[in-house]
Structures are given as C-alpha cells and as structure tokens.
C-alpha cells in the first residue's frame, strides 16, 4: 500500500510538471494552430541556461532559474519572428520547420555542451517524511509546488488580464478578434514566446532532478503532445487533467506492468484519443 | 507542382540517360568506400521519393516512413535470421507487411488531417521503435540483428546494382503513378479535399492508397538496405532517419519528382565530405534544410527553375 501511494505521489508530481509544459503547446496550438516540435528542445535549453548561470556565473540558483526562463521566452520570440511567421496559414509547413529546428537544436547542444548530462544545483536538499509513510525528496516537493504556482498564475493570466482576454478571443475567432482591433501578429508572437517560456519553466524546475542531455527533449515534446491531445487540443483545463492522468498512468504502469514500456502507454493513449475523436478533442470545430 | 511540357521533356530524358550511364559505371572507378556512399544514397533516393509521393503529392505529412522501412528490414531480417528463410522470399513478405501496416495506419488517419495525422504517425513510429528496442529476444534490440546478404556471397558491387535497379524500379513506378489518373487524384486531394470529392474522386480510397504504396516502397527499400548492411538496428526506424528523409526532400524540393532524388544524392555525398570534420553533418543538414525551408520553399529544384526562367 505504501508503495502504491509512493507511485501515486510520483505520478502526481510528474503529472503537474507535464501539465506545465503541455500548457505551452496547448497555448500555441490554440492561438496559431501550430504544433511546435521543438518544444522539448526549449525545455532542454532552459536546463542548460540555468546550469550555466548558476555554475559559470555564480548566480543564486533561484535567480538562475528565473533568468533561464526569461532567456527561453526571448528565444521563443526570435523563433516565432524568424521561422514561424512565414509559415502562417500553412500548418504542414510550420510542422516541418519546427521538426527541422528540433533536430538542429539537439545537434547544436551536442556540439556546445557535449553528450554528458548537465544539472543545475538543487534549491533545497534532503527529504521529508510524507504523511509519515515514505521519505520524499524536498527538491521534488518544491518542484511540485512551483509548477502548481506557475499553473495557477497562467490561469489567472488567461482569465483576468487583458492579454488573456485577447488570447481567448483570438482562439475563438481570429478574424473577428482582428476586426475588434486585436493585432493578430503581436498576439502570435507573445503567445509563442509565452508557450516556450512554459517549457522553459518546466525545464528549470525538473532539470535539478533529471539532468539534461542534448536529446532528452524528444521525450518531453512527445509527452506534451500526448497530454495536449488527451486533454483536448487547445483546452487549458484539459491539459492539467491530461497531465496528471498521464503522469499517474505512466508511473503505475511502469511499476506494475513494465518499466521498459513506460513511454508506450502514452502513445497508445495518443492514438486512441485521436482515433476516437478525430476532429481532435478540440473544443472547437476545424474547417 | 510539376508540369511537363513536350519541349522540356526530351533534353531531360537525354540528361537522365547520361547521368544513369555514369552512375551505372560507378563500380568501375569508385573505391569500396564511395561505393558504399552510393549505395546508401540510393537507399535514401527510394525513401525520399516515396515519402514525397505521400507528403508532397497528397499532403499527408507522415512521420512513420522510417518506421515502414524498419518493418520491411526487420520482417525479412527476422525471417532469415530466425527461420532461415532465404532473403529473396523474405523480401516480398517484408513489403507485404509494410503495405498492410500502411493500410492500417492510412485507415486510422483517414478522418484526420494536418497536424493530427502527423501526431498519429509519430505515435505509431515511436510505438514500433520502443517495441523493437525492447523485444530483445526477437530483434536483439540495440545490439542489432545480424542478417545474411540478399543472395550469394556478400559483394558491394552486386549490392550496388541491386539497389540501383530497385531505385530505378521505384522511380519508374512513381513516375507512372504521377502521370496517371491516380497522380492527378493525389494532387487534387492535396489541393482541396472537398473539391476533389465533388468531382467524384474517391478521396478516402486515394488517401489510403497513397499510404499503402508509400509504405510498401519504404518496406522494400528498408528490406534491401537491411540485407546490404547485414546488421539491422533500431536506428532504421528512428526519428533521426526520418529527419534525414524529410530534410533531403525539403532541400531537393517537395512536391517535385526530381527534388527528392537530387536532395538525397546531394546530402549523402555532402555528409561524406563533412564527416571528415567530425560528426556535425546532421547539424549542418538541419541548418541547410531550415534555410531552404525559410527562403526557398521549393527547394533546389525551385531555385533551378527560377534561375532558368530568369536567364
């Protein structure tokens, strides 16, 4: 029973972080109808940045985390401006471009940082006795809390701010929103940057626990796609539910069925969800 | 989109025959190393051309093409290594299994379009890769499966001619398809499914057929390649290989007949030159592909056509 609760906790912690980076994909899909294949590579980039800032520049780990996320935000803006903008209206083309970008980034990281795992310093150390049942790493508990706070902030941003209102209006009806004076190009730019920053935030939270290597981002991207499809493309609340669901299922599946096939569960969910709801679990119809 | 007019066709045929004759004479003056490069290049010509048939002509950007090559390679490889079946018999079985999986995946994707189709094919490809990597007993996982050569003793020269004949067969088939009614249906489906359906084109059948044909061709290429290498690893169905196929097609020119051929041969040759400077060739491919996708979406073929019409 204790084991089961431990797996469940693990699933919950991972699930919330899955939800955090999947929200980035959901935001970009909802606004721009672009699936960013390089999402995981931006997560990796944030990990490298935060390790670099903390160890090479001697920043406080918390400051390094914030700086790294901001840097990834800026990178996202640059990518949108230079690579994604010319593909507007051609979703296949943006797919191909971001797929190539992800390979370029992976090999770029390999060239710059080498194949060795990198890891920013922990913010906290030690472990806490959870419910007086099992010891659980403080860094993981902190990661869980941070991710939860970020998600709450994101929802507040979407719900209560001007930016959020614009985002929601564009994702409902792009043309109408632009008639109402919304600048769609600027919304795309900001949404893409923010989406990447969410990957970055998840990256800085998770890399002290799971060190980054150049190719680890592939798994992150794929996980994000599974969560987004599972929760309903473009639906933010669905993303959180989908993330937790996947986190829990993966960890229970790995514990009780087969750890080698951990990733397989996600893909089976992905394909069955897409098959059963072919228009996407979208929340809105596509032309 | 490619338009062939009567007066451009003749010189192209001549150029084609000259290039082919030169190519066929390769074993006479190329060393073993460059012969290997040529063989790998021919494999990529088959892969890129058949992927282009699916993605460039029907607009279904599938990420499972490398997976189909893997299916072909592993099917005939396992049959030969475990059951002792002659590779020449395993080859058609490999093609058939790839075609059946193409049928399954194509039918699964039929109600989806765009990014959903791509995500589904991506999921399919990763499922296969995970299974092949983990089923060590059957596939020998990342250690690689040893397979016999296609027939007789191992010989690079024979392999070269086999691959050359296979590539020509594939290209001839693709050419035939593109110039037939089916090719016209492919393009119609890509441009506008609704309009195509209104003209009486069986959209569903056309889309699935494209998957089956492309899958069978990839299975054929993969199976031959596996028996040439005599060692099959899960790399053949990885996204890395998928990326190479995609980059070659994009750089050469997606949606053109010549583009993937040019792209595959160009990139494979280039990678041999870059390899001298270390393992950066994928990075450089990526940067080139990114630049081409950004500034010349029609690829090298598009650039050449612009140049010709400007002169």
């Amino acid at each position: 029973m204790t084991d089961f609760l431990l797996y469940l906790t693990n699933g919950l912690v991972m699930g919330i972080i899955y939800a955090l980076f999947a929200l980035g994909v959901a935001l970009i899909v909802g606004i721009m109808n672009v699936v960013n294949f390089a999402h995981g590579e931006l997560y990796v980039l944030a990990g490298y940045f935060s390790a670099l800032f903390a160890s090479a520049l001697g920043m406080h780990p918390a400051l390094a985390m914030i700086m790294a996320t901001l840097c990834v935000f800026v990178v996202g803006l640059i990518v949108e401006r230079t690579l994604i903008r010319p593909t507007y209206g051609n979703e296949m083309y943006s797919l191909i471009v971001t797929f190539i970008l992800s390979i370029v980034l992976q090999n770029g990281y390999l060239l710059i940082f080498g194949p060795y795992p990198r890891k920013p310093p922990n913010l906290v150390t030690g472990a806490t006795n959870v419910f007086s049942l099992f010891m659980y790493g403080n860094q993981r508990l902190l990661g869980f809390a941070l991710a939860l706070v970020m998600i709450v902030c994101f929802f507040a941003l979407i719900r209560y701010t001007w930016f959020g209102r614009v985002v929601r209006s564009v994702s409902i009806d792009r043309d109408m929103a632009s008639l109402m004076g919304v600048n769609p190009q600027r919304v795309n730019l900001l949404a893409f940057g923010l989406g990447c920053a969410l990957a970055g935030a998840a990256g800085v939270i998770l890399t002290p626990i799971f060190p980054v290597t150049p190719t680890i981002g592939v798994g992150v991207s794929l996980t994000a796609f599974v969560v987004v499809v599972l929760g309903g493309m473009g639906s933010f609340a669905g993303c959180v539910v989908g993330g937790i669901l996947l986190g829990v299922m993966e960890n229970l599946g790995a514990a009780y069925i087969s750890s080698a096939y951990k990733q397989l569960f996600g893909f089976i969910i992905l394909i069955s969800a897409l098959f059963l709801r072919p228009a996407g679990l979208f929340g809105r119809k596509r032309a | 989109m490619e338009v062939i007019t009567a007066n451009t066709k003749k010189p192209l045929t001549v150029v084609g025959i000259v290039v082919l004759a030169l190519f066929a004479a390769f074993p006479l003056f190329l060393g073993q190393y460059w012969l290997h490069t040529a063989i790998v290049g021919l494999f990529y010509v088959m892969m890129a051309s058949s992927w282009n048939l699916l993605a460039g002509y029907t607009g279904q950007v599938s990420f499972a093409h490398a997976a189909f090559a893997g299916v072909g390679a592993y099917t005939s490889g396992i049959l030969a290594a475990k059951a002792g079946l002659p590779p020449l018999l395993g080859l058609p079985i490999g093609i058939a299994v790839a075609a059946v999986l193409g049928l399954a995946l194509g039918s699964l994707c039929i109600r989806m379009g765009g990014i959903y189709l791509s995500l589904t094919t991506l999921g399919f490809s990763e499922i296969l890769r995970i299974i092949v990597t983990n089923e060590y007993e059957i596939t020998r996982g990342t250690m690689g499966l040893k397979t016999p050569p296609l027939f007789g003793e191992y010989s690079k020269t024979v392999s070269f001619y086999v691959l050359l004949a296979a590539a020509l067969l594939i290209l001839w088939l693709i050419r035939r398809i593109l110039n037939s009614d089916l090719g016209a249906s492919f393009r119609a489906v890509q441009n506008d499914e609704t309009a195509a359906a209104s003209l009486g084109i069986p959209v569903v059948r056309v889309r699935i057929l494209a998957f089956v044909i492309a899958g069978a061709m990839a299975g054929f290429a993969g199976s031959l390649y596996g028996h040439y290498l005599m060692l099959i690893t899960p790399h053949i169905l990885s996204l890395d290989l998928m990326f190479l196929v995609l980059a070659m097609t994009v750089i050469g020119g997606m949606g053109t007949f010549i583009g993937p051929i040019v792209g595959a041969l160009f990139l494979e040759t280039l990678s041999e030159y870059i390899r001298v400077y270390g393992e950066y060739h994928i990075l450089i491919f990526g940067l080139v592909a990114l630049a081409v996708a950004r500034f010349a979406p029609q690829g090298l073929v598009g650039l050449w056509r612009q140049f010709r019409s400007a002169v």
Side-chain angles (χ1 to χ4, degrees), chain A residues 122-188:
Chain A
N122 283 6
L123 270 179
V124 290
T125 51
T128 308
N129 202 340
V130 183
F131 310 125
S132 48
L133 281 174
F134 48 82
M135 298 299 283
Y136 205 75
N138 279 339
Q139 182 73 32
R140 288 187 181 218
L141 291 175
L142 181 71
F144 177 76
L146 280 177
L148 206 58
V149 170
M150 296 285 305
I151 290 174
V152 170
C153 287
F154 177 79
F155 272 87
L157 180 75
I158 294 297
R159 202 167 178 84
Y160 298 114
T161 64
W162 171 85
F163 175 73
R165 209 155 48 229
V166 169
V167 162
R168 279 180 288 148
S169 67
V170 171
S171 72
I172 293 167
D173 191 331
R174 197 180 184 90
D175 297 335
M176 196 49 120
S178 78
L179 285 178
M180 295 290 140
V182 172
N183 180 344
Q185 287 205 337
R186 196 170 304 159
V187 174
N188 281 352

Side-chain angles (χ1 to χ4, degrees), chain A residues 29 33-35 37 81-83 86 91-101 103-108 110-111 218 222 225 229 233 260-261 263-264 267-268 270-271 274-282 286, chain B residues 51 59-61 63 105 107-108 111-116 118-120 122-124 126-131 134-135 239-240 242-243 246-247 250 254 279-280 282-283 285-287 289-290 292-294 296-298:
Chain A
V29 168
N33 214 14
V34 166
V35 169
F37 260 97
R81 187 67 190 78
T82 54
L83 291 173
E91 56 188 51
M92 300 324 291
Y93 217 65
S94 60
L95 200 72
I96 289 175
V97 165
T98 58
F99 181 65
I100 299 173
L101 178 67
I103 302 280
V104 167
L105 288 177
Q106 280 168 34
N107 286 280
L110 192 65
L111 181 65
V218 181
L222 296 176
F225 299 155
V229 168
M233 282 257 188
Y261 282 111
Q263 280 212 310
L264 199 68
F267 292 117
I268 290 171
L270 174 77
I271 289 187
L274 280 172
F275 182 63
L276 296 174
R277 291 291 303 273
L281 306 152
F282 214 73
R286 264 166 26 92
Chain B
W51 185 71
Q60 306 183 88
V61 176
F63 284 97
L105 188 61
S107 321
L108 190 68
R111 291 188 297 169
M112 306 168 194
I115 47 185
Y116 302 94
S118 296
L119 288 182
T120 305
L122 184 73
F124 173 83
E126 282 297 287
I127 287 175
L128 273 183
R129 190 185 58 80
I130 293 170
I131 292 176
N134 283 311
E135 288 306 318
L239 288 178
D240 291 348
M242 188 60 235
F243 162 73
L246 184 144
V250 168
M254 210 167 149
E279 282 296 312
Y280 307 136
I282 298 195
L283 179 61
F285 283 7
L287 288 173
L290 217 49
V292 168
R294 172 69 178 77
Q298 301 301 309

